[in-house]
Amino acid sequence: MGADIRVRRVYEEPAPADGARVLVDRVWPRGMRKDAARLDEWAKDAAPSAELRTWYRHDPAKFDEFRRRYAVELAQPGAREAVARLRVLAADRPVTLLTATKDLDLSQAAVLAGLLRETT
């Protein structure tokens, strides 16, 4: 069975079942105070590049290609270490990947969660 990986919006109230709360956005969420986020980590290196984010713009028609390009980015050295760190976190407790994105199903957090569930 895969790891207990959840995906939530960073703007939602933290829940006891969240486990480790990890922000997976490259930029800090608009309007969110750092203390209000109650993060365990901010995994900037696991977030998509600015170029990929700009190209994608959460266009549902581009999601499959986004997922493919993001997987390529996650295989690069900086991102690979960040993903390895998430795997370590997920080995012994739930991990909640947080994003400011409104549509969680089309987010990098959903792609990353799927990858972690498959490989943890």
Side-chain angles (χ1 to χ4, degrees):
M1 182 176 147
D4 186 358
I5 309 290
R6 303 148 194 238
V7 176
R8 297 183 66 206
R9 290 196 72 217
V10 70
Y11 300 108
E12 294 175 32
E13 193 64 31
D18 283 350
R21 293 172 49 84
V22 181
L23 181 65
V24 293
D25 288 349
R26 192 161 298 271
V27 296
W28 189 258
R30 188 174 290 140
M32 171 67 68
R33 290 189 347 262
K34 300 238 182 202
D35 62 329
R38 291 198 251 160
L39 299 178
D40 292 289
E41 291 198 26
W42 182 7
K44 288 183 210 177
D45 288 342
S49 66
E51 297 80 15
L52 182 55
R53 251 188 19 252
T54 300
W55 170 82
Y56 177 43
R57 297 198 186 279
H58 297 280
D59 178 349
K62 293 181 176 179
F63 183 69
D64 288 338
E65 180 62 14
F66 167 76
R67 182 185 356 230
R68 188 193 69 72
R69 291 182 187 189
Y70 183 36
V72 169
E73 286 189 357
L74 289 172
Q76 300 306 308
R80 194 171 48 232
E81 283 83 21
V83 171
R85 170 73 185 132
L86 292 172
R87 284 190 182 108
V88 168
L89 278 176
D92 61 353
R93 62 179 164 161
V95 171
T96 299
L97 303 179
L98 301 167
T99 180
T101 305
K102 288 182 181 146
D103 191 342
L104 293 177
D105 292 337
L106 298 177
S107 72
Q108 76 278 5
V111 174
L112 185 55
L115 176 86
L116 290 168
R117 286 183 195 115
E118 291 170 6
T119 60
T120 305

